[in-house]
Amino acid sequence: VDETKTLSAMPKFAIGIDLGGTTIKTGSVSLDGTILFDCSVDSRANENPSAVIDQILLTIRTVFDQYPQADCVGIGVGSPGIITVEGGIVQYPPNFALWTEVALGKRIQQAYPDFPVMVENDANVAAIAESRFGAGKEIDSFIFIIWGTGVGGGIIINNSIFRGPSGGAGEIGHISVDCAGRQCNCGNKGCIEAYIGQRYLSQRTREQLERSTTRSRIVELVDGDLTKIEPIIISMAAMEGDELARNILVEAGELLGCALSSAVNLLDVPVAIIGGGISAAPDFVFDAILTSLHDRVMAPHKPNVRVLRAKLGNSAGMIGAASLVM
Ligand SMILES: [Zn+2]
């Protein structure tokens, strides 16, 4: 028996950890970006950092119960907050009440001293995943947008993530489209997130319904309870021909295209890849984003603008985290 051959038949893998405000999803990911195994636990985000770290370590042990440590090439983490890649320090992640600054990378490294450990911002990690294994595989430079609860982003230039000197680059959601516009959580006014982030989009839909005198399918879909409005409901109503729902989504697409045009003009990167929960929106929303973007960018960019759907969905976090150490 050729032992080397037998050994090399075992897939090498990296561990990718997607640290979220409610769950931690951890997977073993093969070097071609396939998730071989994954598990998830409650992130215990309301407790001390050590409780969260214990949960992370628990998921790593769960992977190593299934796959031998000898085949693991490293451990990567996608985390909310601003990350100092050197030392894997996580600063003020939203939804983690008791975290200020936590040396997350170091804590994992102490438990697993034999492996490279890398920590990166969660939006950046998803952008990296799309770049290496998803919709951006054939595209050297693009702007990645996570359109969900908030509006996050990452910038890929020449197949690498652009972090900026302090790691804070890519905050597409806080491009202001109206300096006297809606108040955003960040303190600024008119940020694109304050119009099209999940909560704001639902809230603006409620406001319009309360003013509207025509019947809307949205109201029927939530049995008259307007607090139940979510982007998926608005999409369903739009697909069934509801005009108000369709207008709201088209407007959201136009606003996003407007914000993106500033980013395209600034960076000379004419391709946008859009992921996140709301990116499941119907094609006409993507058409609205593209038309708005095309109309607003400077002339030299017009022939090159493209808006694509992300491909990796909810797995982008795990795959991108794993690819940090591949
Ligand atoms: Zn903002």
Side-chain angles (χ1 to χ4, degrees), residues 173-176 182-194:
H174 300 283
I175 290 179
S176 177
R182 291 177 77 96
Q183 183 65 48
C184 178
N185 271 340
C186 76
N188 195 3
K189 286 193 164 75
C191 295
I192 183 67
E193 178 168 308

Side-chain angles (χ1 to χ4, degrees), residues 59-139:
T59 65
I60 297 173
R61 285 198 301 276
T62 307
V63 172
F64 284 145
D65 286 343
Q66 306 285 327
Y67 290 87
Q69 292 199 24
D71 292 324
C72 180
V73 299
I75 300 167
V77 186
S79 165
I82 291 183
I83 314 296
T84 307
V85 173
E86 185 76 32
I89 299 159
V90 178
Q91 292 174 66
Y92 298 95
N95 304 319
F96 289 72
L98 303 174
W99 288 45
T100 50
E101 244 186 56
V102 177
L104 179 59
K106 206 169 153 189
R107 294 285 299 273
I108 297 172
Q109 189 78 76
Q110 281 164 352
Y112 293 97
D114 297 335
F115 296 111
V117 175
M118 288 278 288
V119 183
E120 174 60 281
N121 169 269
D122 51 4
N124 283 353
V125 152
I128 292 167
E130 291 294 337
S131 168
R132 290 197 51 181
F133 302 111
K137 218 169 146 183
E138 312 291 330
I139 301 165

Side-chain angles (χ1 to χ4, degrees), residues 219-238:
V219 182
E220 293 168 17
L221 286 170
V222 295
D223 288 325
D225 181 357
L226 300 191
T227 62
K228 286 188 186 151
I229 293 173
E230 280 183 45
I232 181 80
I233 302 277
I234 308 170
S235 283
M236 280 165 65

Side-chain angles (χ1 to χ4, degrees), residues 75-279:
I75 300 167
V77 186
S79 165
I82 291 183
I83 314 296
T84 307
V85 173
E86 185 76 32
I89 299 159
V90 178
Q91 292 174 66
Y92 298 95
N95 304 319
F96 289 72
L98 303 174
W99 288 45
T100 50
E101 244 186 56
V102 177
L104 179 59
K106 206 169 153 189
R107 294 285 299 273
I108 297 172
Q109 189 78 76
Q110 281 164 352
Y112 293 97
D114 297 335
F115 296 111
V117 175
M118 288 278 288
V119 183
E120 174 60 281
N121 169 269
D122 51 4
N124 283 353
V125 152
I128 292 167
E130 291 294 337
S131 168
R132 290 197 51 181
F133 302 111
K137 218 169 146 183
E138 312 291 330
I139 301 165
D140 290 346
S141 304
F142 61 89
I143 299 164
F144 179 70
I145 294 111
I146 300 185
W147 187 8
T149 313
V151 179
I155 301 165
I156 299 284
I157 306 273
N158 295 331
N159 300 306
S160 303
I161 191 79
F162 175 75
R163 294 185 177 85
S166 71
E171 292 288 354
I172 307 289
H174 300 283
I175 290 179
S176 177
V177 293
D178 180 356
C179 64
R182 291 177 77 96
Q183 183 65 48
C184 178
N185 271 340
C186 76
N188 195 3
K189 286 193 164 75
C191 295
I192 183 67
E193 178 168 308
Y195 294 84
I196 69 165
Q198 176 163 329
R199 201 155 29 92
Y200 294 100
L201 193 65
S202 306
Q203 186 191 327
R204 289 195 314 122
T205 305
R206 267 196 302 281
E207 288 167 12
Q208 293 204 22
L209 284 168
E210 279 158 8
R211 280 198 305 267
S212 165
T213 48
T214 46
R215 265 184 42 187
S216 169
R217 179 77 180 121
I218 300 174
V219 182
E220 293 168 17
L221 286 170
V222 295
D223 288 325
D225 181 357
L226 300 191
T227 62
K228 286 188 186 151
I229 293 173
E230 280 183 45
I232 181 80
I233 302 277
I234 308 170
S235 283
M236 280 165 65
M239 294 298 273
E240 292 175 29
D242 188 82
E243 205 175 329
L244 184 136
R246 193 183 167 93
N247 289 343
I248 282 167
L249 291 174
V250 166
E251 187 199 36
E254 283 169 0
L255 287 165
L256 181 53
C258 174
L260 271 173
S261 70
S262 296
V264 169
N265 286 336
L266 187 68
L267 298 169
D268 183 22
V269 170
V271 182
I273 295 178
I274 302 181
I278 308 183
S279 70

